[in-house]
Amino acid sequence: MRKTIPIAAAVICGIVIIADYLVQVPWLHTAAARLLEGAVVLAGFALVLGILNLLAFNFRHIRDHTPGRWQSWIILISLPITVLIGTTFPGSGAFTWVYTYVVTPLMTALGALLLFYAVTVAVRLLPLRNGAAIILFASCLVFMILWIPGISSVSPFIAAVRNWLYALPVGASMRGLLLGAAIGAVVASLRILSSLEQPYTGITEKH
Amino acid sequence: MLVCAKCSRLNPEGANTCSACGASLAEAKYRACPTCGTINSIRDMFCFRCLTLLPPADDQIDTANIGDSAADIDLDPLAALTHALPEAQLDFTVPPGSSRPPHTAPTGISGIATAISQISGPSHAQPSISRVAKILIYAGVILAALIPLLAHIRPSGATSARESVYGLLQSLEDIPQGAAVLVSFDYGPAYAAELDSLATLILQHLAEHSNKVLIMSTHPLGMANAERLFSTLDLPMEYGNNYLYLGYLPGEESGLRLLLGEFGSVFIYDFFKQQSLDTYPLAREIESLSQVQRVIVLSEDAVTIQRWIEQVQSPTHLSMDALVSASAEPYLTPYYLSRQLSSLTGGLPAALELQAVQKGTGLDLGFSLGLVGLTLLVALITVVTTINDFSKRHKQGR
């Protein structure tokens, strides 16, 4: 019974949602909409749970005198203040100020490092003398050049090369990836609907 | 250095048994980086801390004990690359009691060449990056970042832009004057520098054409992004009449599927003033997606656009424009080629070209020069490395 009820609920929910995509029946649409609303509420609650987990994690850091616990203090002080400002003064400039001058610069700086890491890894892979590494590095260089703003003005040939790359090699490989992912999704869905896979119970039956 | 699974003792590569407890090292799951000593998984190709190339897993190690199955290892491309490494280049000789190999700093021009070659050269021969090499890399990146700020070169004459920019322009022109547009800010602050320019140009265009703009997000920080952007723009739009913040929609696919119903049933209150949507004239006028002429999604990743296409565009056949980060653009090319997306534009370069084409002016070449600088730096490192490597082999041959 401990397993049967969750499996039955998952299978029924899955079939109702899929059926709503395929046939136009009013009561089925209403049932699917109620289920989807439930999923949205759960997703929203997951965010709240994430915040609570963050608070608990940092409380533990402070309680256990972990090195670097001053960072936990910063989170525990700044989080309630930001939440308070956002909820009690909606639409005020204070929240926008925090977001504009604290959150955005920090996150942008971290995001900008991605380019540096990507180039470093591409360069680091070169000594492998491996075909895949050379292709990765060469494509890194080619796309960096093709990405330069206004480079189409230099020569119409460059624009033609970029269009060809996007339409043929990139387009074809992405179509292949999407088809592969779609087939994988169909198989995974069928396994979950037929209860061969039960990710919600943590049990996977071997077949 | 293999880490004994029983007593955690570090043992040299190739050892069969632990020198401390005698346990078999066939079950070892971790190895220490020969450069910095960081413990990495035995399957890792590079040290996650210093990016040093790690030696491949010893053939004597029982691969069945590493992951869930030996088949997992065959499927791992990085593991396959590790196994493909030539053995002659994998001689890590670490002196006893030392975590770093002996290192002598090169001097003069040859020193710089050697330093550069250490970035991309055979890192397993000299695994550590010298200070000069690091300085060169950081200086190059900083220079590339500073050029756009310092150099504002704007040549006269019209700019030729990429095809996607003209596609976006045409798509925007096709929106009737005063029509309703749904704009979704599906990007976080990490991508603000890349996507804000495109978002600004879009909002300015919509404001100039008196379009009614409904703003929402499926990213937890997207609405804060939209609010921040609106606060910096001086647009001739009145909240509630010309534009409205619907709010954040959680639930990914489920949330977007619900969007096919009425907005009022999905968003109870607006994001800005936390008042019921019915209190705003715009919400009373535009009640559902069927009254919207166009959907514009600004997204940092490709998956979000895919969700929008699957859950919203396909059932409604609404025209949809995708403005994404440069890294996401290639993934979405098939959707654009099959016309599920009216336009697909990516990255800051496209924003610069769009701005130049819209205003009929020349392109601000500062950013272009920065990117050229960065590309040249990478090319320089490659050329110097190759020449240095070639001359070394030539000397060894003689």
Side-chain angles (χ1 to χ4, degrees), chain B residues 5 11-12 59 99 101 129 171 185 199-200 218 223 263-264 286 289 343 361:
Chain B
N11 292 277
D59 291 340
S99 60
I129 298 180
S171 185
F185 279 75
T200 303
T218 61
M223 287 312 296
F263 291 138
I286 315 292
L289 266 181
S343 71
T361 59

Side-chain angles (χ1 to χ4, degrees), chain B residues 155-215:
Chain B
S156 58
T159 305
S160 176
R162 61 200 66 200
E163 198 183 320
S164 60
V165 168
Y166 293 114
L168 175 63
L169 265 177
Q170 184 59 49
S171 185
L172 289 174
E173 291 298 331
D174 288 345
I175 302 172
Q177 188 104 1
V181 178
L182 179 70
V183 181
S184 188
F185 279 75
D186 294 341
Y187 65 94
Y191 285 83
E194 190 176 1
L195 289 171
D196 273 0
S197 306
L198 275 172
T200 303
L201 292 169
I202 296 296
L203 291 174
Q204 283 172 341
H205 179 95
L206 295 175
E208 283 168 13
H209 289 75
S210 309
N211 290 120
K212 297 177 175 68
V213 184
L214 296 162
I215 295 162

Side-chain angles (χ1 to χ4, degrees), chain A residues 21 124 128-129 147 150, chain B residues 85 129 306 311 329 353 389:
Chain A
Y21 277 81
R124 285 264 185 180
L128 291 180
R129 306 279 189 268
W147 215 252
Chain B
L85 287 172
I129 298 180
Q306 284 176 325
Q311 305 299 333
E329 192 184 354
E353 289 183 354
D389 199 31

Side-chain angles (χ1 to χ4, degrees), chain A residues 99 104 107-108, chain B residues 183-200 203 216-230 296-301 304 308 323-325:
Chain A
Y99 192 80
T104 307
M107 296 292 280
T108 306
Chain B
V183 181
S184 188
F185 279 75
D186 294 341
Y187 65 94
Y191 285 83
E194 190 176 1
L195 289 171
D196 273 0
S197 306
L198 275 172
T200 303
L203 291 174
M216 59 163 287
S217 174
T218 61
H219 189 289
L221 293 173
M223 287 312 296
N225 248 349
E227 203 179 346
R228 175 185 55 80
L229 201 63
F230 261 92
I296 299 174
V297 185
L298 293 132
S299 171
E300 62 184 39
D301 56 38
T304 306
W308 271 96
L323 290 86
V324 296
S325 65

